[in-house]
Amino acid sequence: MAGPAPILLTALHVYPLKGARGLAPAAARAERRGFAGDRRWMIVDAAGTFVSQRTRPALALLAPERREDVFVLRAPGQADLVVPLAAGGRPLGAAPRPVAIWRDTVDALDAGEAAAAWLAARLGEPCRLVFMPDETERPVDPAFAAPADRVGFADAFPYLLASEASLADLNARLPRPLPMDRFRPNLVIAGAAPYAEDGWRRVRIGTVAFRVAKPCARCAVTTVDQATGIASGPEPLRALAAYRRGAEGVLFGMNLIPDGEGELRRGDPVEPLA
């Protein structure tokens, strides 16, 4: 008799710029603060506070590309922004700048006036492009993490996992199905039962083990069409609120913290650990 179907990693997503369009490589290196290059860039307002799709949904139209010696941002109807890079991927000649993301204030590197002018023209307000260098350390919430755990400019945790079966269950409750990109996961899996991930405490993906920290409370970003940068109404938050409400809000996906590093590839096995 055949055993249960395997659980597999079906997609990887890396978001070089917080709030902007993601990349979907066939493989990516899992590091302690997230995938290599994941959310190491961020846009901040004139006060130095992070900017996201929660209030500026048009960020979804910004398409980043990281090359060996430049960081590129593309947007419809606008010439590309090209930021020259020095060693470690940092902006060439960058000046240090403290920036705020949620309750954390961390040291970042400012990408300069040309980047600020490009973003101001795009977003219609003064803002800056900043980078998190390797020496900047942002701890993960100690209520859910070990003292050595670190994260980049992601909201709170290094990785977000979502399940195709869980999305299918949600879509069956919606007037129109939504794509997985509404939830902006790093790791997408298939082969598990809907919401099986709720009960996991540790999971191995490929050769990398992860702790399952907590469910992800969802916000207004899930209502933004990632192809148009337009907020499209109350879904999926209204549907999730009917059956996925917890103490922190409506829940979809699980936040993960890695116990090691390694290369992950589409098709890697996913093994919940006792």
Side-chain angles (χ1 to χ4, degrees):
M1 180 181 295
I7 307 173
L8 300 176
L9 180 65
T10 55
L12 302 81
H13 297 281
V14 181
Y15 305 92
L17 173 64
K18 182 177 180 63
R21 188 161 294 174
L23 309 175
R29 178 165 177 78
E31 299 179 346
R32 296 306 292 260
R33 72 175 87 191
F35 277 132
D38 187 71
R39 283 169 283 210
R40 297 293 289 271
W41 296 84
M42 184 170 72
I43 300 169
V44 298
D45 62 18
T49 300
F50 82 101
V51 169
S52 82
Q53 287 187 34
R54 291 170 180 82
T55 55
R56 287 110 170 152
L59 286 179
L61 300 181
L62 299 185
E65 179 185 350
R66 165 71 197 278
R67 303 177 193 163
E68 186 174 346
D69 57 351
V70 293
F71 178 72
V72 180
L73 269 183
R74 297 188 173 89
Q78 195 167 348
D80 293 352
L81 171 66
V82 179
V83 180
L85 301 180
R90 62 187 61 211
L92 192 64
R97 170 185 291 270
V99 297
I101 174 168
W102 297 114
R103 298 177 182 178
D104 299 327
T105 298
V106 298
D107 293 329
L109 297 175
D110 191 296
E113 298 304 325
W118 191 94
L119 288 170
R122 185 70 199 174
L123 300 179
E125 62 181 300
C127 46
R128 314 288 302 187
L129 178 65
V130 299
F131 174 78
M132 178 183 285
D134 290 343
E135 60 267 25
T136 290
E137 295 198 345
R138 181 182 171 220
V140 180
D141 185 341
F144 303 97
D149 292 330
R150 297 293 182 265
V151 63
F153 285 137
D155 277 347
F157 293 89
Y159 295 89
L160 174 64
L161 178 145
S163 161
E164 291 184 9
S166 301
L167 178 61
D169 180 86
L170 169 61
N171 277 335
R173 306 164 191 264
L174 296 175
R176 291 190 305 276
L178 297 177
M180 184 64 83
D181 65 7
R182 288 293 186 97
F183 298 95
R184 297 177 63 82
N186 298 107
L187 303 158
V188 179
I189 63 167
Y195 310 110
E197 61 276 14
D198 288 354
W200 297 350
R201 294 298 172 261
R202 296 184 68 239
V203 61
R204 181 182 295 111
I205 304 175
T207 61
V208 182
F210 296 84
R211 282 164 280 143
V212 183
K214 63 185 291 289
C216 184
R218 308 314 309 216
C219 67
V221 172
T222 60
T223 70
V224 177
D225 186 326
Q226 296 296 303
T228 65
I230 297 172
S232 59
E235 299 296 4
L237 294 178
R238 181 167 60 187
L240 285 169
Y243 75 112
R244 294 285 298 171
R245 181 175 290 280
E248 297 182 25
V250 296
L251 308 174
F252 189 90
M254 301 297 286
N255 292 300
L256 270 56
I257 302 171
D259 280 329
E261 299 186 338
E263 188 86 356
L264 297 186
R265 306 189 67 85
R266 281 200 303 259
D268 276 348
V270 177
E271 179 188 3
L273 303 174

